[in-house]
Amino acid sequence: MAADCGKELGIDLTEASVGGASDGNFTAALGIPTLDGLGAVGDGPHAEYEHILIDQLPIRAALFAKLLAKL
């Protein structure tokens, strides 16, 4: 469903495995499909150079709103 919402907005959502920690780690470890990372786009989590891309905020908000509307 999230991938379909992304396509409607011109966003290619793909599967990824990355380091770090989130609540999604618990469900993913149990083999439960987990959607995580709906927040801001950026780089450098928890580093001095951590930042978000301001111009991506409206796109991410639209993705989240579209996904909520379909639920």
Side-chain angles (χ1 to χ4, degrees):
M1 184 184 303
D4 289 341
C5 290
K7 284 180 187 174
E8 292 175 22
L9 295 168
I11 303 169
D12 184 27
L13 298 179
T14 59
E15 291 184 30
S17 179
V18 298
S22 80
D23 293 339
N25 291 16
F26 297 111
T27 55
L30 295 172
I32 300 168
T34 304
L35 182 60
D36 197 3
L38 289 172
V41 176
D43 194 21
H46 309 296
E48 285 188 32
Y49 64 91
E50 178 177 16
H51 65 276
I52 63 170
L53 302 176
I54 301 293
D55 64 333
Q56 294 295 306
L57 289 175
I59 298 165
R60 298 302 279 200
L63 173 62
F64 189 68
K66 187 173 281 292
L67 185 57
L68 281 177
K70 289 192 179 215
L71 292 176

